Amino acid sequence: MSKLNQIRSDATLVADQYGAMDATESIVIEMAEDTLCLVAALDAVLELHNSDGQRWVGFPRADRQERYCTHCNKAAPCPTIAAVISELEDPRG
Ligand SMILES: [Zn+2]
């Protein structure tokens, strides 16, 4: 009886580990897929909030040029891009 319990225990342990490995692999794959979706979403934001605009600025005479975001019409990098850059460069990760 003791041997049977040992075999059952060993088999259960292996089965549980195998199940855990499958679950971990699934989670890793899902996380990678989710990460790719987030990267694509971020790419769309970065494309929308660009620094493609160029205009003359200054007062009382516009005597210098600046680049600006053609989406939100603010000087580049616009607040949206600045926030993205700040988060990506955050040492917390
Ligand atoms: Zn913008």
Side-chain angles (χ1 to χ4, degrees):
M1 208 52 173
S2 173
K3 182 69 173 168
L4 184 59
N5 285 339
Q6 186 63 47
I7 292 170
R8 182 181 2 256
S9 177
D10 290 345
T12 300
L13 184 63
V14 170
D16 286 349
Q17 287 177 350
Y18 183 75
M21 285 174 56
D22 280 350
T24 300
E25 289 170 355
S26 293
I27 289 170
V28 169
I29 290 168
E30 286 177 22
M31 287 177 67
E33 291 171 349
D34 291 346
T35 299
L36 291 174
C37 288
L38 290 172
V39 168
L42 197 52
D43 280 342
V45 170
L46 293 174
E47 186 174 330
L48 189 63
H49 289 271
N50 56 62
S51 58
D52 292 345
Q54 191 166 0
R55 61 187 170 200
W56 289 97
V57 295
F59 184 82
R61 186 173 147 246
D63 57 357
R64 61 184 172 85
Q65 286 190 311
E66 76 172 7
R67 302 206 67 84
Y68 69 97
C69 172
T70 58
H71 180 71
C72 62
N73 204 29
K74 296 186 176 178
C78 73
T80 301
I81 296 301
V84 169
I85 291 170
S86 173
E87 287 301 318
L88 291 177
E89 292 178 347
D90 189 336
R92 293 173 298 174

